[in-house]
Amino acid sequence: VLFVLLTTGCKAVPESVRPLQANGSTICTTFSINEAEGLWLTAQHCILFAEFNALRLSINYEPVTVMYRSLEEEDVVVLQAETHAPALWLAAVDPPRDHPIQVLGYPYGLLRLVSTHGTIAARAVPIPGRAVSDILDITGAPGNSGSPVIGENGVVGMIWGHFYNSPHALSVPCETLRRLVGAYWEH
């Protein structure tokens, strides 16, 4: 895991990716986008689930505050916490189809960081009821929502779900992340 992270242009180490907890149990994944301000990115449906069920959200058992919610169809939210970690780099260039990627996350409520490797199977596909998404040739697993998708030049997306009844994961594309949360991202 460290070799790929250190060669992707990310200035981060595995502590930049953490479990998002609801009442102390892991429900999703989050990753640092601004170390100085303690800003973290995750999938908005994770926050909505916790709010609907009146659960307390935390990173490293430190409470979080919602700083930004996408008002569009994208599943993106920026959180602020007392927990600080090196920010992952946001890629400057959108990757092509078949680009190799690595996903770091906490699937199935695990407290252990899991690394999955694959490629981008399709780019910018319209998903009914959602904005466009990249389709990845990795299996989407519960708890991986909010996981960073890392390419050779940094973060190229964020996992938000899986593609219908297939094993393919769906990712918010890099250009969407730049547009929605680029101003929050430490570069």
Side-chain angles (χ1 to χ4, degrees):
V1 170
L2 276 178
F3 174 77
V4 174
L5 281 173
L6 294 175
T7 60
T8 62
C10 290
K11 67 173 189 173
V13 290
E15 70 239 16
S16 298
V17 182
R18 304 279 176 90
L20 179 65
Q21 301 152 328
N23 285 8
S25 297
T26 300
I27 60 166
C28 288
T29 301
T30 188
F31 61 96
S32 176
I33 62 170
N34 190 311
E35 180 177 16
E37 295 183 31
L39 299 180
W40 298 79
L41 189 67
T42 195
Q44 185 165 216
H45 71 266
C46 301
I47 305 308
L48 295 173
F49 168 80
E51 290 173 346
F52 180 80
N53 291 291
L55 303 173
R56 292 179 317 279
L57 285 169
S58 61
I59 301 170
N60 283 1
Y61 303 100
E62 295 289 336
V64 299
T65 303
V66 175
M67 296 300 293
Y68 167 82
R69 292 176 191 264
S70 172
L71 299 176
E72 302 175 28
E73 296 172 323
E74 291 86 359
D75 199 350
V76 175
V77 66
V78 174
L79 303 172
Q80 187 170 38
E82 290 297 319
T83 300
H84 296 256
L88 296 179
W89 286 106
L90 179 59
V93 178
D94 299 319
R97 184 176 179 270
D98 296 326
H99 184 80
I101 51 108
Q102 175 185 26
V103 174
L104 297 173
Y106 292 87
Y108 307 111
L110 296 174
L111 293 175
R112 178 178 60 87
L113 185 65
V114 175
S115 173
T116 307
H117 297 268
T119 61
I120 297 175
R123 291 255 318 117
V125 175
I127 305 294
R130 299 282 188 165
V132 298
S133 292
D134 289 344
I135 300 175
L136 311 178
D137 76 344
I138 64 164
T139 302
N144 263 352
S145 292
S147 295
V149 179
I150 301 172
E152 63 186 23
N153 295 313
V155 174
V156 297
M158 182 193 72
I159 300 292
W160 68 265
H162 60 87
F163 190 66
Y164 299 109
N165 292 326
S166 81
H168 292 75
L170 293 170
S171 172
V172 177
C174 185
E175 64 269 11
T176 303
L177 293 177
R178 273 197 307 277
R179 178 174 53 82
L180 294 177
V181 297
Y184 294 95
W185 215 298
E186 179 183 322
H187 298 285

